[in-house]
Amino acid sequence: MRRYLSVAVMLILAAFLMFIVTGLTFGNPQYADMDDYFIQNGQEQIATNNIVTTIVFDYRGFDTLGESTVLFTAVIGVAMLFRKFTGGEYDEDE
Amino acid sequence: MMRMSKIVRTCADLMYPFVVIFGWYVIMHGHLTPGGGFQGGAVVATGAALVIVAYSYQEITSMLKKAVLMVQESTGLLLFIGAGLGGMVLGFPFFFNWLANSGSLFGMSVPYGPNPGELNTAGFLPLMNIAVGIEVWGGLTLVILYLLSGLEKGEA
C-alpha cells in the first residue's frame, strides 16, 4: 500500500513539473543588455580574452567566492562524517 | 596490504606527471582557454585519485598527508580572499580587478576583437585561478582520502 502511494505521489509530482516545463519559454528574452555589455567592454576593462572567465571571476566574483566556500564546507562535512570512531572516541592519527 | 599489479602501478607512475601538468595547464590558461581553477584543480585531483587506486592504503597515507592537504585547501581559499582584499589596501573596492591594465604582473592590455591572446594579461584573474586550483586540488584529494578511510584496514 505504501509503495503504491509513493509511486502515485511521484507520478503526480512528475506530471506537475512537466506541466510547468511546458509553460516555459526557452530562448526568451533573445536580447539582453548585459550580454552586449560584457562582450563590448570585457576585453577593455578586465584585459581578458576569455569572456566566460571575466564574468565568473570578475563581474560575478562574489558568486565564485560562494562556490569556493561551498566546496570548503563540503570537504569539512565529509571530514566530519568519515572521521574514525574507536569506542566512542575518535582520533586523528593520520 | 592489497594493491594493483605491477603493470597498473607502472602506468600510474608514468601517467601521473602528465595528468598533473595538464591540470596546471588548464589552471594557468584559465583566462585564455576554456577551463579554469575549478576544472584544472579537479584534473590534478584526478591524478591523485589515479595513484590512490593503483597503490595500497598504507602506501598512500604515507605519501599524502591529510593535515598537509587541509593546510593546502585553507591556503587556497585564503589566497582567493587575499587577492580580493589586495585592492582594498590600494583604495579600490573589494574584488576590484586592481592588476588589470596596470602594466605590472599579469597587467598587459588586450586589443578589442579576436586575437591570439597573451599569458601575461587579465589582472588578478590568474591569481584567482591559481588560488581556486590549489583549493580544489587539496579539497577533492582530501574527500577521496576520507572516503577511502571508511574501508577496513585489509580491504584496500
Side-chain angles (χ1 to χ4, degrees):
Chain A
M1 182 59 204
R2 216 178 134 183
R3 180 180 297 172
Y4 292 126
L5 193 66
S6 56
V7 168
V9 168
M10 285 292 294
L11 284 176
I12 290 169
L13 192 64
F16 178 63
L17 290 174
M18 290 306 287
F19 173 72
I20 292 177
V21 166
T22 54
L24 286 178
T25 53
F26 285 108
N28 194 19
Q30 288 181 338
Y31 176 82
D33 287 337
M34 293 309 286
D35 307 351
D36 284 342
Y37 180 82
F38 291 145
I39 293 168
Q40 291 290 328
N41 298 308
Q43 279 181 313
E44 183 197 338
Q45 289 178 347
I46 320 295
T48 314
N49 279 336
N50 196 341
I51 301 294
V52 176
T53 307
T54 305
I55 294 169
V56 166
F57 278 97
D58 196 288
Y59 289 118
R60 302 283 181 263
F62 277 111
D63 191 60
T64 309
L65 178 64
E67 271 183 70
S68 306
T69 316
V70 163
L71 181 80
F72 192 77
T73 317
V75 173
I76 289 174
V78 170
M80 279 174 63
L81 276 176
F82 282 85
R83 67 188 189 275
K84 282 188 177 167
F85 293 98
T86 51
E89 298 283 322
Y90 62 90
D91 56 342
E92 276 292 333
D93 53 340
E94 288 156 311
Chain B
M1 186 89 174
M2 278 174 63
R3 57 187 190 182
M4 302 286 262
S5 68
K6 198 176 180 89
I7 300 168
V8 177
R9 274 181 283 136
T10 309
C11 286
D13 285 346
L14 279 174
M15 288 301 293
Y16 179 70
F18 294 106
V19 173
V20 171
I21 286 169
F22 180 69
W24 274 103
Y25 156 74
V26 172
I27 292 172
M28 288 305 298
H29 287 231
H31 56 294
L32 297 174
T33 54
F38 277 96
Q39 294 84 356
V43 170
V44 180
T46 312
L50 181 70
V51 178
I52 287 168
V53 166
Y55 285 88
S56 70
Y57 183 70
Q58 283 82 8
E59 285 168 314
I60 287 304
T61 46
S62 65
M63 275 190 281
L64 299 168
K65 302 282 186 206
K66 278 176 190 162
V68 176
L69 289 167
M70 277 179 192
V71 170
Q72 181 184 336
E73 193 203 5
S74 310
T75 307
L77 192 55
L78 286 176
L79 272 175
F80 186 83
I81 299 171
L85 285 172
M88 294 183 78
V89 180
L90 304 171
F92 296 117
F94 185 51
F95 264 98
F96 183 79
N97 198 340
W98 47 284
L99 276 173
N101 297 320
S102 68
S104 60
L105 181 72
F106 296 121
M108 277 176 63
S109 303
V110 290
Y112 180 74
N115 61 80
E118 173 73 36
L119 190 65
N120 194 20
T121 55
F124 75 165
L125 299 197
L127 302 180
M128 295 285 210
N129 273 322
I130 292 167
V132 172
I134 289 172
E135 189 206 341
V136 173
W137 174 15
L140 290 185
T141 313
L142 203 57
V143 166
I144 295 165
L145 273 180
Y146 268 114
L147 293 180
L148 193 69
S149 70
L151 295 172
E152 294 297 320
K153 277 289 182 210
E155 254 181 289

